[in-house]
Amino acid sequence: MRSVVLVALIAGGCSVPKVKFLTGEFIFETAEFPRCHASTIAESRDGLVVAWFGGAHEKSPDVGIWISRRVADRWTTPIEVANGVQPADTNNQPHRYPCWNPVLFQPAPVNGVIQPLLLFYKCGPDPEQWWGMMTRSHDGGIGFESPWRLPKGIDGPVKNKPIQLAGGDILCGSSTEYAGWRIHFERTSDLGKTWRRIGPIHDAKRFNAIQPSILVHPGNRLQILCRSKEGSVVTSWSEDLGETWTRPDATGLPNPNSGTDAVTLADGRHLLVYNHTRGTGEFPSGRDMLNVAISHDGKKWYAAAVLERAEG
């Protein structure tokens, strides 16, 4: 088995960027689980940490959250740091639910003090019924606290990373998959102890959209890019750091109902990883090509690289 691939690249500064690949490698080639999905990466105080969910298959009760760390130029053997084992029921029978979509996030230091590495994930039988979970590590991902359940109605960042605002608040892009696919946001000012929910920002009549990535623009402007059922990467904008949002609209970039991820680079440009193929409805198609696009303004996107192009 070979899975969870790390690819590092650097983009040039011209209007139509050229991308230089720095490295690409498998984090592991054999593991205790036959399948894995939804990887996430963060730079802790001690280096890179990667997490994903793994088990027999998606939705299988044995699916847990696994991590690996980059130590001495090598990846550590994957270990399971969270699972969906529930307390025994009234018949004294324990049961277990699958875990989903981990998100690692390293908050900025506070007064020079390094903050714990945060790990969010979901637990439950399916995306319509799951709930948010959270844990944290005080040693760069070596060990994690016993996970705890987030408050009712709070899912945490549903697949992609949150951002940290200038005042220290963490803004998470989230979504639900019942009553249509709808986007909302969750904000915490104390590293996940208390939460405030914003939205949902639409009614899912025009777009069924989930899994937002948050991009940062000058002047307190934020933008999201989202997966949708309607064949397009969907976007929305905020002029007040995420308190209110425009009606979601199509970007012109295709989306075959598959996950995307995006980030604002240090120089202010924006990078999007997505499948530049089309497909609509519940059942995804066209994931055979994985692409990178770059934009200066979040509106006009330039093709930068093809990461994968192979059937299956």
Side-chain angles (χ1 to χ4, degrees):
M1 172 183 174
R2 298 187 301 171
S3 200
V4 183
V5 182
L6 176 69
V7 176
L9 52 86
I10 184 168
C14 56
S15 60
V16 181
K18 295 181 180 179
V19 167
K20 177 182 177 183
F21 285 88
L22 299 180
T23 186
E25 60 187 350
F26 289 103
I27 290 175
F28 58 86
E29 301 221 12
T30 60
E32 298 179 36
F33 43 84
R35 298 192 180 189
C36 61
H37 194 49
S39 56
T40 176
I41 188 168
E43 187 173 9
S44 76
R45 67 181 192 182
D46 296 319
L48 295 176
V49 183
V50 175
W52 59 89
F53 70 75
H57 56 81
E58 191 173 37
K59 291 190 177 183
S60 174
D62 72 327
V63 172
I65 305 300
W66 296 74
I67 71 155
S68 176
R69 297 178 296 113
R70 185 74 167 172
V71 178
D73 295 328
R74 300 188 65 177
W75 290 98
T76 60
T77 300
I79 61 170
E80 189 180 58
V81 297
N83 59 49
V85 173
Q86 305 297 306
D89 60 20
T90 54
N91 295 319
N92 201 34
Q93 294 296 315
H95 56 285
R96 179 170 177 171
Y97 288 118
C99 296
W100 313 73
N101 293 11
V103 177
L104 288 166
F105 184 70
Q106 179 61 65
V110 176
N111 298 323
V113 178
I114 296 175
Q115 299 302 295
L117 175 67
L118 307 183
L119 172 60
F120 302 92
Y121 64 98
K122 271 58 65 185
C123 183
D126 52 55
E128 291 80 17
Q129 303 177 74
W130 69 24
W131 57 87
M133 298 286 295
M134 181 179 177
T135 181
R136 58 187 180 181
S137 172
H138 296 272
D139 51 16
I142 298 174
F144 285 83
E145 298 179 3
S146 295
W148 61 91
R149 187 168 178 167
L150 296 175
K152 185 176 181 180
I154 300 296
D155 300 298
V158 76
K159 187 184 80 69
N160 298 331
K161 275 186 174 49
I163 62 168
Q164 191 159 17
L165 304 174
D169 283 14
I170 295 173
L171 180 67
C172 304
S174 197
S175 54
T176 55
E177 298 183 35
Y178 53 84
W181 285 10
R182 297 186 294 169
I183 304 158
H184 69 273
F185 298 87
E186 297 165 1
R187 188 164 176 164
T188 177
S189 59
D190 49 18
L191 300 184
K193 295 178 182 179
T194 59
W195 294 87
R196 179 166 63 88
R197 177 169 165 150
I198 301 169
I201 65 170
H202 64 120
D203 58 13
K205 292 180 178 179
R206 185 166 178 241
F207 288 106
N208 285 271
I210 55 172
Q211 300 174 354
S213 299
I214 306 174
L215 302 179
V216 180
H217 295 267
N220 292 335
R221 298 179 73 225
L222 301 178
Q223 178 189 10
I224 54 170
L225 297 172
C226 309
R227 167 183 179 173
S228 83
K229 292 183 182 180
E230 284 73 28
S232 175
V233 175
V234 170
T235 189
S236 176
W237 295 77
S238 173
E239 304 289 339
D240 54 12
L241 293 177
E243 293 297 321
T244 60
W245 293 84
T246 62
R247 185 179 72 168
D249 202 358
T251 61
L253 295 170
N255 179 248
N257 187 12
S258 63
T260 67
D261 205 354
V263 66
T264 299
L265 304 176
D267 64 6
R269 291 177 301 158
H270 313 285
L271 183 146
L272 168 68
V273 179
Y274 70 114
N275 302 110
H276 193 86
T277 53
R278 294 200 178 274
T280 60
E282 289 286 350
F283 301 102
S285 61
R287 295 186 180 184
D288 297 339
M289 184 163 62
L290 186 62
N291 304 77
V292 179
I294 288 181
S295 175
H296 293 277
D297 59 6
K299 299 176 182 178
K300 183 180 291 186
W301 292 88
Y302 299 96
V306 178
L307 294 178
E308 295 282 351
R309 190 166 192 171
E311 184 176 355

